[in-house]
Amino acid sequence: MWRSLWRSIDRFSLQHFKYVINELRGIKVVHKHNRELVIDLLQSIVEIVTYGDRQDPMIFECFMEYQVLAEFVRVLKIGKNARIEAPLLQYLSIMIQNMDSEHAIYYCLSNDYINSIIEHQYEFDVGDLAPYYVSFLRAVSSKINRDTLCLLVKVHGDAVVSFPLYNEALKFARHGEKMIQTAVRALTLNIYNVSDDMVYQFITTPPVSNYFSDLVCRLKEQCVHLDTLLHSKEETSTRERRNELVLETDKIVDDIYYLKDILSVGEYRLNRLISQNLFSLLVFPTLLPLLQLRQNDGSNISSVTSLYIVSRLLQVVDGKSMVNAVAGIILYPYMTLSVGDAMKGDTVDGVCNASSFLDHLNDMEKRVRSGPESEGAENIKSNNLFGHLAEYLSSNSQLISGLQNDDCVERGGVLAHIFADNNHSLLLASLFLLLILAESKDLDYLLASMIGLSRIQDIVNHDLSASQVVDGSLFVKFMPQILNALLKILASQPPLSVLIQWHTGWFLRKLLISQISQGKTVNDLNFHLFNSRERLRKELDGCWFDYIPDTLRNEWLSCKTALEESSQFKDPFFALEIAVCQQDTDGDATTVSAWQRMVEAVKVFILHLQLKAVIFKGSLLEKPVLNMPNGPTADSGRGHASDTPSASFGSDVSLGSGIPCRIAFSNAGIRDIYLIPVARETTGKLLLTEKHPFRSQRGVVIAIAPLAGLSPKIDNDHPSWLHLRIREFDPKFNTSKARSNHLKMSNHVADGKWTLGFPTAKACEAARLLILEETSKQRSFVESILAPLLQDDYLGNLSDVEDE
């Protein structure tokens, strides 16, 4: 009856609205028989209120007069066993999200109705209520501002004693569903950005403030879990382990960005809590044992994981305090005589003789605070950070003594990882951390001079001479050894994976450019150790030689882009990938396909050529110089009609020099055919044709195979049988706008096989020779294209061309 009455009046009219409210008021208990009716009533109220908020002020006046929100609270209480909470919260969320009127929002948040709904005793263990509840909380948080926030807190005197919206949301902070975690974080940021002094005091005072330490503890747990995955002994493939690590690092990075968002609010009490917890619970416990090189007793994260974490943290959470605190700890053991003189003139045996490591921190804090950009919130963060660092170290005196040990100075600390024997992941991860610090705009000029990689002008501006930089710089002092360590990786025999070589090449280019920018000579390096040219030449005899030019052009830009990537945007995940490759024992390396082997040979060749260009020319090459034909070339095949090289399945072609034979198809029986191998430029095909039924000198193409990779072999027991290997995999180059670094390729499929029968052994041999002849012509054309690149003096010839 009530449905028919609804249809008889305007559903958005004031009259209808009052009717719906009265219907809802008439509900005394919610049970399974009237549950749908109650849900319909709630939905209608929300739709009408949303309409009225924008179109009819009288509707919202009625909403307030009838105290409809009180009815929502009442329905919650009388419908506890009828599963009414989820739809009620959903409709309330929709109503609040769609409210535009400040008057309407203010009313909804007043009278404590929202707090009553928030604090209602829900049974989250039953059903899927949690997502609806958290979505409701988030909707409320999206409408608060400095004027309405006070309506949701409970105050005693001058202090906030309760904040249900915030407190209840934090209970879901570690919920298993990603969507709920995201909603809670969005809610907290909404609150942090509009809070007043009283609310900030409540948020940053125990026990509520424990949320921030819980955040960092959870981050630390994820880092430990990441380290466990990295060193897991389970027998899984490299790809599976990499995917697991990607998922785990994504979670860690999400947490770090959330911490950055909180710091970006700019409230000094929030910054103090985040900084103190971040450094005392994660950074210091991770970094200091790493530099002391203590044996891992199970409580410490491994070195490569620690380096990954600190590097990622520096990339995301920038600022003077963070950068200089990390740099100060890492570089303290390497303070040398000249730099020490520049700072205070009090050194012994080349090592800074500050009364303690804490004095060193105090000096560093003064410099950070006295900088031209050290005012405001960043200055406050700096005070909190260095003060907390001093407090932390005072209670851990053994850490300071470890940093001051002379053993740490010569190839100790971070240098011990750089020069670790055959541990490429540690070498590159350590270098990466130093590069991030060196290239940071927030790094103190004195610390920058100690690294000695860049920012020479900043050092000069602070009256440190170039000789002081050279004498006291970490990179300058050990640069020859570091460059040789990188070159050893590139020259390893057997060659290391492309992954390791490309990342190593990135570091080598960075250091070479730095050397060149400081006027130093680098062309005396042992570049002849690069043997990738011979490896590429071998691939010209392989079954994918015809794709080498296209692969080279496709990978050239990818390599150049990878080498030029900024350290700020380079993902340190590479260190974990390399660690997995070093641990790999699942045999993946023995199952590399011929296609993958060719692509890897091209990638390594390009990398080595570009690094040689940096050594001899000081910059990367823009594009490869290939010997491409200027105009159309004649068919390389002998006596082929012009239509044969371009033939496709079903084409009508001349039989010409085709050789008659037979082939058995599994679904078509034995067929009499003609074999026609043909090559034009880089394209080579083997055509199988059937004689045209009406034209004796013509044939119809029934099958095509790539000429490259056929490897024709005569059967030992049947000399008139010819076996051919057929490439089944068809690579597709990515020509999208983004220019991916890789070719689009599915899992490589096994090669196929054809067996052809000829009338005589002589005819079989003639067919084999003809295939080899056409393949040789195709290969010769590919070699002519690549000839300039394969010359010993390619870079010298390139310079001559540029001079002309």
Side-chain angles (χ1 to χ4, degrees):
M1 176 179 177
W2 57 270
R3 291 183 183 274
S4 61
L5 180 59
W6 283 9
R7 298 190 190 100
S8 66
I9 57 178
D10 182 1
R11 59 183 301 211
F12 291 113
S13 68
L14 182 60
Q15 178 186 0
H16 179 58
F17 186 43
K18 291 179 179 179
Y19 172 79
V20 174
I21 294 172
N22 288 326
E23 282 287 311
L24 184 62
R25 284 179 165 181
I27 303 294
K28 302 304 179 185
V29 63
V30 182
H31 47 71
K32 63 180 181 179
H33 299 296
N34 66 356
R35 178 178 179 275
E36 294 301 322
L37 169 62
V38 175
I39 292 174
D40 285 343
L41 291 171
L42 295 174
Q43 180 180 358
S44 296
I45 288 174
V46 168
E47 290 174 349
I48 296 171
V49 171
T50 302
Y51 168 83
D53 180 54
R54 301 174 181 177
Q55 304 292 334
D56 188 352
M58 294 302 297
I59 288 179
F60 201 80
E61 291 295 328
C62 180
F63 178 82
M64 293 188 293
E65 178 184 348
Y66 280 68
Q67 297 188 11
V68 176
L69 277 180
E71 290 301 312
F72 276 73
V73 175
R74 186 181 66 86
V75 169
L76 270 180
K77 294 178 179 178
I78 65 175
K80 189 172 183 180
N81 297 321
R83 294 183 295 110
I84 200 70
E85 294 95 338
L88 184 144
L89 291 170
Q90 181 182 23
Y91 291 135
L92 266 178
S93 300
I94 293 171
M95 183 181 75
I96 293 172
Q97 286 171 346
N98 287 282
M99 279 187 175
D100 292 331
S101 167
E102 291 184 8
H103 174 64
I105 294 171
Y106 191 92
Y107 171 79
C108 286
L109 298 182
S110 60
N111 298 316
D112 219 32
Y113 293 135
I114 294 296
N115 276 342
S116 296
I117 295 172
I118 291 173
E119 295 181 298
H120 178 75
Q121 297 300 309
Y122 299 95
E123 295 182 3
F124 294 109
D125 295 334
V126 180
D128 56 350
L129 183 58
Y132 294 100
Y133 180 71
V134 174
S135 295
F136 166 68
L137 299 181
R138 182 177 183 177
V140 173
S141 74
S142 68
K143 297 298 180 179
I144 60 176
N145 55 40
R146 291 187 180 274
D147 296 323
T148 57
L149 182 63
C150 60
L151 302 175
L152 297 175
V153 299
K154 299 177 182 180
V155 179
H156 180 73
D158 294 331
V160 174
V161 295
S162 178
F163 191 178
L165 176 65
Y166 185 72
N167 290 344
E168 295 301 320
L170 295 190
K171 294 178 181 179
F172 294 89
R174 301 191 67 167
H175 196 278
E177 289 189 28
K178 180 67 176 177
M179 183 188 72
I180 292 179
Q181 288 184 29
T182 302
V184 171
R185 293 184 175 186
L187 178 151
T188 58
L189 292 173
N190 288 339
I191 292 173
Y192 300 152
N193 278 293
V194 301
S195 292
D196 56 22
D197 187 74
M198 290 174 59
V199 175
Y200 278 133
Q201 190 62 38
F202 173 78
I203 289 172
T204 58
T205 302
V208 181
S209 62
N210 291 341
Y211 170 62
F212 301 105
S213 59
D214 289 344
L215 271 178
V216 180
C217 285
R218 181 174 182 271
L219 178 58
K220 177 69 177 293
E221 291 172 5
Q222 289 179 326
C223 294
V224 172
H225 185 227
L226 173 67
D227 195 54
T228 302
L229 287 176
L230 180 64
H231 299 285
S232 173
K233 301 300 183 182
E234 293 184 12
E235 294 186 3
T236 56
S237 69
T238 300
R239 178 177 299 179
E240 290 173 343
R241 292 185 65 190
R242 182 190 180 279
N243 291 340
E244 290 178 348
L245 293 173
V246 167
L247 293 175
E248 197 62 28
T249 53
D250 284 347
K251 296 176 185 177
I252 290 173
V253 173
D254 283 348
D255 284 356
I256 295 175
Y257 271 103
Y258 177 52
L259 294 173
K260 179 183 179 179
D261 289 339
I262 298 175
L263 290 171
S264 298
V265 172
E267 210 287 321
Y268 74 94
R269 282 164 290 196
L270 289 177
N271 288 346
R272 182 190 65 232
L273 277 174
I274 293 296
S275 298
Q276 288 182 357
N277 284 295
L278 197 56
F279 276 82
S280 64
L281 298 177
L282 181 63
V283 176
F284 298 156
T286 298
L287 195 57
L288 294 175
L290 168 71
L291 298 177
Q292 282 186 275
L293 306 179
R294 286 195 319 210
Q295 291 295 320
N296 193 340
D297 58 3
S299 62
N300 296 332
I301 298 174
S302 69
S303 297
V304 66
T305 306
S306 299
L307 290 164
Y308 165 80
I309 294 165
V310 177
S311 297
R312 207 68 177 101
L313 195 63
L314 288 174
Q315 286 180 318
V316 177
V317 183
D318 52 3
K320 286 188 174 183
S321 56
M322 171 71 75
V323 170
N324 288 287
V326 172
I329 295 172
I330 290 177
L331 298 175
Y332 175 70
Y334 310 113
M335 281 195 149
T336 58
L337 179 61
S338 56
V339 176
D341 286 339
M343 182 176 74
K344 57 167 49 179
D346 182 16
T347 59
V348 174
D349 295 330
V351 180
C352 181
N353 191 28
S355 60
S356 69
F357 184 54
L358 301 181
D359 291 334
H360 161 64
L361 292 177
N362 291 332
D363 291 333
M364 187 167 58
E365 178 188 358
K366 291 176 183 177
R367 290 196 303 278
V368 172
R369 292 174 58 188
S370 62
E373 300 176 359
S374 60
E375 298 179 0
E378 181 62 37
N379 194 11
I380 294 171
K381 283 199 295 183
S382 176
N383 285 332
N384 294 330
L385 176 57
F386 287 104
H388 191 68
L389 174 55
E391 179 183 343
Y392 180 84
L393 293 173
S394 296
S395 60
N396 293 271
S397 57
Q398 73 279 6
L399 298 179
I400 303 174
S401 61
L403 287 172
Q404 292 176 320
N405 193 317
D406 288 343
D407 292 337
C408 284
V409 178
E410 280 297 323
R411 296 200 177 190
V414 71
L415 285 178
H417 301 307
I418 292 177
F419 297 113
D421 291 336
N422 298 320
N423 197 327
H424 310 312
S425 60
L426 271 182
L427 187 160
L428 300 184
S430 302
L431 283 179
F432 189 68
L433 178 56
L434 289 175
L435 282 172
I436 290 177
L437 292 170
E439 295 183 2
S440 172
K441 66 182 187 305
D442 294 314
L443 183 63
D444 173 68
Y445 70 89
L446 180 58
L447 295 176
S449 73
M450 292 169 58
I451 297 177
L453 188 61
S454 58
R455 297 183 53 190
I456 299 300
Q457 189 59 46
D458 285 353
I459 298 165
V460 171
N461 290 342
H462 286 90
D463 298 325
L464 290 178
S465 68
S467 62
Q468 288 174 323
V469 174
V470 171
D471 291 341
S473 297
L474 185 63
F475 266 115
V476 172
K477 183 176 181 180
F478 295 102
M479 183 62 77
Q481 297 96 314
I482 293 173
L483 291 177
N484 284 330
L486 296 175
L487 287 169
K488 276 186 177 181
I489 295 177
L490 295 175
S492 294
Q493 290 296 330
L496 298 172
S497 70
V498 173
L499 173 74
I500 296 176
Q501 293 207 50
W502 269 38
H503 288 302
T504 302
W506 181 86
F507 283 97
L508 186 57
R509 176 192 170 268
K510 277 276 187 183
L511 299 182
L512 291 174
I513 293 297
S514 174
Q515 293 289 94
I516 293 171
S517 68
Q518 297 179 35
K520 298 182 179 179
T521 302
V522 296
N523 57 12
D524 57 347
L525 294 174
N526 294 324
F527 66 91
H528 62 274
L529 294 175
F530 300 161
N531 59 356
S532 54
R533 185 170 53 198
E534 292 305 316
R535 183 178 174 186
L536 183 62
R537 281 198 175 113
K538 288 181 180 179
E539 290 303 319
L540 287 169
D541 295 324
C543 64
W544 288 99
F545 70 83
D546 52 330
Y547 271 87
I548 291 178
D550 285 340
T551 304
L552 191 143
R553 283 189 290 264
N554 187 75
E555 294 295 338
W556 188 277
L557 180 60
S558 299
C559 180
K560 186 173 183 293
T561 302
L563 289 175
E564 292 176 333
E565 188 177 17
S566 166
S567 59
Q568 182 60 33
F569 298 104
K570 186 176 180 66
D571 191 343
F573 182 76
F574 73 83
L576 306 182
E577 283 186 294
I578 293 175
V580 169
C581 289
Q582 290 176 282
Q583 300 168 10
D584 179 34
T585 56
D586 60 11
D588 281 2
T590 63
T591 60
V592 174
S593 67
W595 163 260
Q596 292 170 315
R597 188 169 56 248
M598 182 276 290
V599 173
E600 289 180 358
V602 171
K603 285 184 173 183
V604 173
F605 174 78
I606 296 171
L607 172 67
H608 289 186
L609 189 62
Q610 288 285 31
L611 292 175
K612 290 178 186 177
V614 174
I615 293 172
F616 289 103
K617 296 170 59 64
S619 62
L620 298 175
L621 303 175
E622 288 296 326
K623 58 183 179 180
V625 176
L626 300 175
N627 188 22
M628 301 302 296
N630 294 324
T633 59
D635 297 344
S636 61
R638 52 180 185 180
H640 292 307
S642 60
D643 59 350
T644 306
S646 59
S648 59
F649 183 80
S651 296
D652 184 351
V653 298
S654 172
L655 294 180
S657 58
I659 300 176
C661 58
R662 307 182 81 184
I663 188 172
F665 291 108
S666 58
N667 57 350
I670 297 176
R671 308 277 285 271
D672 291 313
I673 59 170
Y674 285 80
L675 176 147
I676 306 176
V678 58
R680 172 187 281 178
E681 298 184 354
T682 61
T683 303
K685 300 177 182 178
L686 178 68
L687 308 179
L688 300 186
T689 63
E690 278 190 319
K691 193 171 185 179
H692 197 283
F694 306 113
R695 305 169 65 185
S696 60
Q697 298 302 312
R698 307 291 292 180
V700 178
V701 177
I702 64 170
I704 302 177
L707 200 56
L710 286 178
S711 300
K713 293 181 180 179
I714 296 176
D715 190 272
N716 293 331
D717 298 326
H718 303 85
S720 61
W721 289 7
L722 184 65
H723 299 296
L724 303 175
R725 182 180 62 189
I726 308 301
R727 294 188 328 211
E728 298 287 354
F729 169 54
D730 183 22
K732 300 294 182 182
F733 286 92
N734 184 1
T735 56
S736 66
K737 183 176 181 181
R739 292 299 301 269
S740 169
N741 289 355
H742 306 283
L743 299 174
K744 289 183 176 178
M745 55 182 291
S746 57
N747 291 333
H748 188 72
V749 294
D751 290 334
K753 182 180 178 181
W754 288 353
T755 299
L756 306 178
F758 293 85
T760 64
K762 184 177 180 181
C764 183
E765 175 64 13
R768 186 183 75 86
L769 294 176
L770 183 58
I771 291 174
L772 292 177
E773 180 182 350
E774 292 297 308
T775 303
S776 177
K777 292 174 181 178
Q778 182 188 10
R779 181 182 292 107
S780 295
F781 192 87
V782 172
E783 288 175 340
S784 69
I785 292 176
L786 300 175
L789 285 174
L790 296 176
Q791 293 177 3
D792 291 339
D793 56 348
Y794 171 72
L795 293 174
N797 294 338
L798 192 62
S799 298
D800 295 338
V801 172
E802 291 175 349
D803 293 339
E804 294 176 4

